[in-house]
Structure formats: C-alpha cells, structure tokens
C-alpha cells in the first residue's frame, strides 16, 4: 500500500508542479500582503484542468513556500510577508545586522522542514482523532486560551509588561473596528463604507507596522538592515545554519509540536502559533539574549508555522470544517478534483495520503529553492538606501492594496506605519499591537458565545476544568515575571543599601 | 546625503524622547477616552467589550504618563545646569536631515495613494519610487522636493477636477 501511495505521489510531473508552485509561492511570500491565500484564489481555477495530484501539489507547494518567502523578508528587512512571519522579525533583523542573515535563512528553512515533518507524522498517524478533539473545544476554552496568550505578552514586550499590555490594548481597539460578527452591527466605522466593508485587516496592520514602520525608522537612523554583502552568501551560511539545527533540536521539535497543536484549533492559525512558539522558547530560556539576535528566535516560529500549515488542513479534510481561509480554499480545491473530505481521506484513499506525501516533499523543495533564491533577495538588502526605502514603501503599499483591492487599506497601512515608527523610535515592541489585533476578535466572539451558552444552560462554562486550568496558568504566567522583577529590584536596592552602610562604617 | 550625521548629545536625545513619550501618552489617553464614549452607542451591539478594553488602555496610559512625568522631572533636576533649551534640541541640524529623509519615504506612500487613483497601477509605482529615491539623494534634494510638490499639486487638481465635474480622467494623463 505504501509503495502504491509513493508511486502515485513521486512522479516527474508532480515534482515539476511542486517546483513551479514553490517558485510562485516564494515570489508571493516576498511581497507583503499578497501571500498564499492570494495565490490560492487565483491558482485554484487555473489548475482545475490539471490531474488531481499535480494540481494539489502545485497549490500546496505555493501556499507553504509563500510562508518561507515571508520569513526571508522578515529576516532581511523586518517585513513579514505573511502574518505567520511576525515572530521572525523579533530576532531576524538583529541576526542580519550581525552578518548572520544567511545562517538564519538556512536554519529557518530546515527548522520549517522539521516542524512540517513532525506535523505530517502526527496527521498521518492520528489525523481524524485530532480533528475530532479540536472541534470539541468550547468557546469558554477558547476565550481562556486567548487570555493565556495575552498573559504571554510580557515576554514579547522587551521586559516592559505595562507598555506591552497598553500596546496590546491598542491592537484590541483596532480589532473592534468594522462588523461585529456576533451582533451584526457596525462599530467605530464613522459612516465610512471602507471600514464597514473591510474593518482593519490583520495583514494590512502587519505590513504597516513592520514594513512601513521599519522604512521610516531606517530613513531616520539611515542604517541599512544588513551591512555586509559578503555575509549574505548562502554557501557560507549553510554550515552554521545546519549547526544551529544540530545545537537546538529540542527547541525545534517543541515548536513543531506547538504549531501542530495550534493548527488543529479552528480560527487560530499560524498568525498565533509563531508568536506562541517564540514566547514559549523565550520563557524557557530567559537569559539567552532575546531581541539581540538569538537564532532560536527565528527557528522556533518557522518550525511552528510549517507544523500549523499541515494540521490546519486536518479539520477541513477530516470533518469538512475549515478553520481558516487557506484551509477553506484547499477544501474547495480537493472537492473540485473529486476527492471527498472525511475520515476516509486519511485512511483508505491513495490520493488523500499522497497529498500529504506531496506536502512533505514540498517542504524540502521550497527550502532548497528558497536558499538559492535568497541570495537574490539578500543582495537586495545591500541596495543603497535612497533606492531601497521607497521600494520597500511602495511594495508595502502594493501588498496592502492587494488585500482587498482598496485604497483605504493603503491609508490604514500608512497610519499603522507611523505608529510603528513611533514605537521603534521609543524602543517599544511592535508585536503586542499585532497580538491584540489577532486576539481581539477571537476573545470577544468566544466570550460572547460562552455567555450565550451560559444563558441557555444556566451553568457557567468558565467553571469547567479546561477553562479553570487555563485561567490559573494565565494568572501565574502574568504574575510570575512581575514578581521576579520586583524581587530582583528589591535585591539590588538592598545590596546598594548594605554597600552604603559598609562605606559609612 | 551624508552617511554620518552629527549625533546629538544624550541629554538632547533624552529630552526629545521623553517629550515624545509624554505626547504619545496624552494622545493615547484622549483616544481611549473617546473610544469608550463612542462605544456607548453600541449598547445593543457589543459595547461591553470595547468599553472594558478602552478603560484598560486609559488606565494604563494614565499610569505610564504619571511615571514618565516623574522620570522626566528627575532627569531635569539632575541635568538642570546642563539641560539645553527645548527649541534647540527639537530643531537641530540632525533632526532637519531626518525629517527630510522621513518625508522622502512618506512621499512615496502618499504619491502612490494619489497616483493610483489617477494614472494607474504601474505608473504610480514608477513615479512614486523614482521621485522618492531622488528625494532621498542629498545632492538633488531641492529639485526633487520641487518635483514631488509639483506632482502632488497636479495630482490634487486632477483629482478635484474629476471629482467635481464627474469626468473621469483617462489613465496615464499625468
């Protein structure tokens, strides 16, 4: 049976489809705001006439490669090509400045392969079971999960939890603009048809905050994101990149597992899993130089990303319930090619299993292709600033315009870009704002759904074992670092007082 | 553009950064207060959640403002003899260079937004990138700023004309 599946998957035509899909995906990933979803919407009708596995191979390679392309620009320019590359911008630019861009690009590629393979093994072993478990998570569990994610804000706030929470609050405020999915009313739209139709889009905020914000900041400081062209050689980065993987296998595998678990939860997706993987690693090793170019800080998010990409397809393919836009599009694509979603997709269908084999192969194909092409992107980083900065600004504009074909998105990107610039200027982190935009709709909708359940059942869903455990973990996660900080500060004051007393004596 | 600007003293940088922080704290307080008040309009469509978030942000911004005022006061006290006048620190030569550069990047975005409406997608990219590139090149700064201003005025007039007369200007006119 396995030989039969492998023979169906590994054909020259399928491999060419993977290669082409990866090339298109990398190109889309480099342009912020475009990404895999944009590519899928265009490519699904175009590939309708192709044989099933060739078409699905092309689509899946394009979607996964777009995330890797976004990681390259996140490392080199601090521009996440996709919301899944946000956490890569925390350490990537610092690594670039240290002349370790090539090492970061290589290690990110291989970490992504490991994360994706972990996820594939989990899916092929227990896909339907995982999908079933994911669907049974209640709104109260979800709400407490978002509170736990919010409690983790302090670890991406550069040691300033109050500022981090304030910035997350700004993100929450932004997320409430537009149509309220529960009540069906428009909020904070001020009569604008653009805001009523689009609200404030996550991808546009990411492009504005990180892309335009960085462009303004570079114009201010007049410093290139990468200083030396010589250090951008992928050949030179290959050995250090592989060594980084060898030195941090546990971190990579752990992030892959985190990503795989997050992918199962409908509606969460890679925009959260990469930040979660980064925060977990930064929590576990506090004094590892976070924010100053820690290689684990780029490997962990990308391992989680690729793992999520695989498992987020599971609820869609096993139960027919897509949790996010990409999985909905992929579900449409498999139905278009005559495959039926359901448990049998994982158990007795050759095409279903061959699809996941192709997904695994695509991880290797786009990593190798990405490493070759990243030399091209990397040399772009050494372009003189008067050419580079307007190019970044206009690419960001194109990306935000392409999200919904509206000029209003470019204006939103510009405003968030100015916010990003102010935050960078004040040495404040950008990620909490984005985390607020991601978590805002998730927490509000699930909180209100949980309240509706409470009204119907006269029983508080927040008192169940899962929400209570998550709540306690969230409180501990938020309070512990503050206590450590206070104790440290108290210790410093006590030691300075004792020194003063000794001197006086 | 000179690659190395004369760097301001640390006290000047601190004064600028502290005043910027205070301004942002105040702005955030005002925005969150307005946000909470506006949220009350949606009593039957989800006012509770935004109100809670707005109050939280207002509270955090107020506490940050108080802390920043105390920090600024302390730094002023410690540097009272050496503190330069605010006017000098805000409008020194370095800030002038920086403002021009930031305006150059900003121009590319604004130009793109304006030109996209009038001259079309590809021409908008070309014009926005080339003019801003020129704006960031130090030697030709006055010429480039003049070009940007001219294009902006032309684009604005064209846009207003098409808006008022209802005649859509054919793509590529500019």
């Amino acid at each position: 049976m396995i030989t039969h599946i492998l023979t169906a998957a590994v054909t020259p035509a399928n491999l060419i489809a993977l290669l082409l899909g990866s090339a298109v995906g990398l190109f889309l990933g480099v342009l912020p705001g475009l990404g895999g979803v944009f590519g899928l919407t265009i490519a699904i009708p175009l590939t309708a006439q192709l044989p099933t596995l060739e078409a699905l191979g092309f689509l899946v390679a394009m979607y996964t490669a777009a995330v890797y392309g976004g990681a390259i620009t996140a490392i080199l320019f601090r521009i996440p090509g996709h919301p899944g590359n946000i956490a890569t911008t925390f350490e990537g630019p610092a690594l670039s400045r240290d002349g370790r861009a090539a090492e970061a690009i290589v290690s990110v590629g291989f970490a992504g392969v490991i994360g994706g393979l972990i996820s594939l093994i989990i899916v092929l072993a227990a896909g339907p079971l995982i999908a079933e478990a994911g669907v049974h998570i209640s709104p109260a569990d979800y709400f407490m999960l978002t509170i736990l994610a919010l409690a983790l804000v302090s670890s991406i706030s550069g040691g300033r939890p109050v500022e981090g929470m304030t910035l997350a609050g700004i993100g929450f405020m932004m997320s409430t603009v537009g149509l309220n999915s529960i009540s069906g009313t428009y909020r904070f739209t001020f009569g604008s048809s653009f805001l009523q139709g689009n609200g404030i889009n996550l991808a546009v905020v990411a492009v504005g905050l990180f892309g335009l914000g960085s462009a303004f900041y570079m114009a201010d400081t007049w410093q290139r994101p990468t200083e030396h062209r010589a250090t951008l050689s992928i050949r030179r980065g290959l050995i250090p990149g592989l060594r980084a993987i060898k030195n941090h296998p546990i971190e990579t595998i752990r992030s892959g597992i985190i990503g795989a678990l997050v992918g199962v939860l409908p509606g969460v997706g890679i925009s959260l899993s990469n930040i979660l993987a980064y925060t977990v690693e930064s929590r576990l090793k506090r004094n590892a130089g976070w924010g100053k170019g820690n290689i684990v800080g780029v490997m962990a998010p990308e391992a989680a990303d690729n793992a999520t990409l695989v498992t987020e397809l599971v609820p869609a393919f096993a139960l027919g319930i897509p949790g996010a836009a990409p999985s909905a599009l992929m579900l449409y694509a498999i139905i278009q090619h005559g495959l039926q979603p359901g448990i049998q997709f994982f158990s007795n269908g050759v095409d279903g299993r061959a699809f996941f084999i192709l997904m695994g192969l695509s991880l290797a194909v786009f990593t190798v292709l990405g490493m070759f092409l990243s030399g091209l992107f990397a040399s772009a980083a050494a372009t003189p600033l008067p050419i580079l900065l307007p190019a970044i600004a206009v690419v960001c504009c194109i990306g935000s315009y392409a999200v919904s074909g509206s000029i209003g998105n470019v204006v939103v990107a510009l405003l968030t870009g100015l916010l990003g610039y102010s935050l960078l200027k004040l040495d404040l982190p950008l990620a909490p704002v984005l985390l607020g935009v991601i978590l805002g709709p998730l927490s509000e909708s699930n909180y209100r759904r949980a309240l509706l359940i409470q009204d119907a059942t006269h029983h508080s869903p927040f008192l169940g074992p899962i929400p209570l455990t998550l709540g306690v973990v969230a409180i501990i996660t938020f309070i512990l670092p503050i206590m450590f900080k206070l104790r440290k500060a108290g210790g410093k004051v006590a030691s300075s007082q004792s020194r003063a007393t000794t001197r006086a004596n | 553009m000179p690659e190395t600007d004369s760097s301001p003293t640390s006290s000047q940088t601190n004064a600028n950064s502290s005043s910027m922080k205070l301004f942002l704290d105040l702005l955030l307080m005002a925005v969150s207060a307005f946000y909470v008040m506006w949220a009350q309009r949606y009593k039957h469509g989800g006012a509770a959640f935004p109100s809670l978030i707005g109050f939280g942000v207002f509270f955090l911004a107020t506490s940050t403002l108080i802390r920043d005022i105390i920090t600024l006061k302390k730094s002023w006290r410690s540097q009272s003899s050496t503190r330069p006048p605010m006017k000098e620190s805000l409008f020194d030569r370095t800030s002038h260079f920086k403002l021009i550069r930031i305006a150059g990047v900003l121009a590319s975005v604004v130009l793109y937004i304006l030109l996209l409406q009038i001259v079309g997608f590809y021409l908008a990219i070309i014009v926005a990138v080339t003019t801003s590139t020129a704006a960031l090149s130090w030697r030709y700064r006055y010429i480039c700023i003049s070009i940007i201003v001219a294009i902006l005025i032309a684009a604005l007039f064209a846009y207003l004309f098409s808006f008022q007369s209802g005649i859509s200007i054919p793509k590529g006119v500019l």
Side-chain angles (χ1 to χ4, degrees):
Chain A
M1 185 68 178
I2 293 169
T3 329
H4 194 47
I5 296 165
L6 280 173
T7 325
V10 189
T11 64
N14 287 350
L15 292 177
I16 290 168
L18 287 183
L19 199 68
L20 285 174
S22 299
V24 175
L26 282 168
F27 173 72
L28 290 173
V30 169
L31 292 173
L34 290 185
V37 175
F38 175 81
L40 284 177
T41 50
I42 293 170
I44 286 174
L46 294 177
T47 54
Q49 300 303 319
L50 287 176
T52 306
L53 284 177
E54 282 170 37
L56 294 179
F58 178 86
L59 294 174
V60 80
M62 184 183 64
Y63 181 59
T64 46
V67 178
Y68 183 48
I72 295 171
T73 50
I75 290 166
L76 293 175
F77 305 109
R78 204 206 287 264
I79 303 171
H82 187 281
N85 309 117
I86 290 160
T88 313
T89 61
F90 301 166
E91 304 289 334
L95 285 163
S96 272
R97 275 195 301 277
D98 289 349
R100 295 170 67 193
E103 179 191 342
I105 291 168
V106 171
S107 60
V108 154
F110 284 107
V113 171
I114 293 170
L117 288 178
I118 289 169
S119 213
L120 274 174
I121 292 165
I122 295 172
V123 166
L124 288 172
L129 284 174
I130 297 166
E132 197 96 24
V135 170
H136 283 112
I137 292 174
S138 74
D141 302 341
Y142 260 117
F143 174 70
M144 293 315 283
L145 201 66
T146 58
I147 298 298
L148 174 62
L150 196 64
L152 288 168
V153 156
S154 55
S155 49
I156 50 168
S157 309
R160 283 183 284 185
V162 176
E163 279 88 343
M165 291 303 278
T166 314
L167 294 171
I170 295 173
F172 265 88
M173 283 161 66
M174 282 185 192
S175 75
T176 56
V177 175
L179 183 70
N180 180 2
S181 59
I182 301 287
S183 64
T185 50
Y186 293 113
R187 294 184 301 185
F188 306 103
T189 54
F190 308 105
S192 153
S193 57
F194 162 73
L195 288 176
Q196 285 176 355
N198 299 273
I200 291 184
N201 188 288
L202 169 68
V204 175
V205 176
V207 167
L209 267 181
F210 288 90
L212 285 178
S214 297
F216 288 133
Y217 188 67
M218 276 191 261
D220 183 336
T221 56
W222 209 242
Q223 278 180 344
R224 267 190 212 98
T226 307
E227 289 303 321
H228 309 290
R229 193 191 288 257
T231 57
L232 298 171
S233 155
I234 296 300
R235 247 184 308 164
R236 286 188 192 180
L238 194 63
I239 301 297
L242 288 170
R243 202 180 295 134
I245 294 286
K246 194 185 146 204
N247 292 342
H248 305 285
I250 306 291
E251 291 88 338
T252 314
I253 292 169
R254 187 165 45 217
S255 303
I257 293 169
I258 291 170
L261 293 176
V262 171
V264 179
L265 305 171
V268 180
I270 66 171
S271 49
L272 191 62
S273 73
N274 70 100
I275 298 178
L276 211 59
Y278 178 87
T279 46
V280 167
E281 292 308 321
S282 60
R283 281 282 160 124
L284 289 173
K285 283 183 184 170
R286 283 174 187 281
N287 304 318
W290 298 102
K292 292 168 189 160
N294 188 326
I295 195 82
V296 179
V298 289
M299 282 159 51
E302 293 305 320
D305 269 358
N306 282 289
T308 309
L309 284 177
V310 180
T311 48
E312 76 179 357
L313 294 176
V314 174
F317 289 2
L319 305 168
I321 306 166
S327 50
L329 288 167
M330 285 307 297
L331 178 66
Y332 174 73
I334 65 156
I335 293 170
Q336 189 186 44
H337 285 278
L339 295 173
Q340 284 306 311
I343 305 297
Q344 70 278 4
F345 189 86
F346 296 86
S347 51
N348 51 15
V350 170
D351 282 351
R353 286 186 177 183
F355 169 81
F356 283 104
I357 301 284
L358 281 176
M359 199 166 187
L361 282 174
S362 78
L363 295 169
V365 171
F366 76 68
T367 302
V368 175
L369 192 69
M371 280 192 288
F372 277 112
L373 290 179
S374 57
L376 190 75
F377 305 136
S379 56
T383 312
L385 280 174
I387 299 166
L388 184 68
L389 295 184
I392 290 177
V394 172
V395 164
C396 290
C397 287
I398 297 167
S400 45
Y401 180 74
V403 169
S404 64
S406 169
I407 205 81
N409 277 333
V410 186
V411 178
V412 172
L414 176 63
L415 295 176
T416 47
L418 291 173
L419 174 69
Y421 165 65
S422 312
L423 297 180
L424 287 170
K425 185 98 180 128
L426 293 172
D427 200 21
L428 288 169
L430 306 176
V433 181
L434 219 54
L435 200 66
V437 180
I438 297 166
L439 293 177
L442 270 177
S443 57
E444 185 182 10
S445 57
N446 284 300
Y447 178 68
R448 293 190 69 188
R449 277 193 201 112
L451 287 184
L452 289 173
I453 292 168
Q454 185 176 315
D455 288 346
T457 58
H458 302 288
H459 172 74
S460 175
F462 298 104
L463 295 174
I466 299 173
L468 273 180
T469 314
L470 288 171
V472 171
V473 174
I475 292 167
I476 293 169
T477 314
F478 186 68
I479 289 177
L480 266 182
I482 297 172
M483 279 176 65
F484 278 131
K485 211 175 170 181
L486 287 174
R487 228 173 83 181
K488 217 173 165 182
K492 269 184 189 169
V493 170
S495 63
S496 62
Q497 275 176 351
S498 68
R499 249 180 281 152
T501 323
T502 323
R503 262 185 230 144
N505 289 335
Chain B
M1 179 72 70
E3 289 285 331
T4 49
D5 295 333
S6 55
S7 59
T9 61
S10 64
S11 62
Q12 278 176 329
T13 314
N14 286 343
N16 276 346
S17 153
S18 301
S19 40
M20 192 173 167
K21 260 185 189 170
L22 291 182
F23 171 72
L24 284 178
D25 289 337
L26 282 169
L27 184 71
L28 192 56
M29 279 172 69
V31 169
S32 55
F34 173 75
Y35 179 85
V36 172
M37 281 194 288
W38 198 268
Q40 303 317 306
R41 289 168 168 240
Y42 313 113
K43 275 198 173 140
H44 303 290
F49 194 79
S51 304
L52 186 72
I53 299 299
F55 272 124
V57 173
F58 184 79
F59 170 75
L60 288 169
T62 313
S63 65
T64 318
L65 178 77
I66 294 166
R67 198 192 59 191
D68 286 345
I69 289 172
I70 293 167
T71 317
L72 192 67
K73 223 174 156 185
K74 271 184 190 170
S75 71
W76 275 2
R77 261 188 210 153
S78 62
Q79 298 167 357
S80 55
S81 55
T82 53
R83 186 169 60 88
M86 188 61 79
K87 216 174 179 180
E88 268 181 39
S89 64
L90 278 176
F91 298 100
D92 61 356
R93 200 168 157 73
T94 316
S95 302
H96 175 66
F97 290 148
K98 281 180 183 175
L99 277 175
I100 290 176
R101 292 194 301 238
I102 293 165
V105 179
L106 193 68
S108 61
V109 179
V110 175
L111 272 173
Y112 182 79
I113 294 170
L114 284 172
L115 294 174
L116 191 66
Q117 307 268 0
I118 303 160
V119 296
F121 189 75
Y122 300 106
L123 202 58
I125 296 170
I126 295 163
V127 177
V129 172
T130 47
T131 49
S132 298
T133 299
L136 289 168
S137 172
W138 182 241
R139 283 175 70 187
Y140 308 108
R141 68 190 185 281
Y142 293 116
I143 301 166
C144 299
I145 290 168
S146 316
I147 293 169
I148 290 170
V149 170
I151 290 176
L152 280 175
I153 292 168
L156 192 69
F157 268 107
Y159 186 65
L160 285 175
F161 172 72
S162 67
F163 184 71
Q164 280 184 348
S165 61
I167 303 164
S168 61
I169 293 176
K171 303 271 181 204
V173 161
L174 283 182

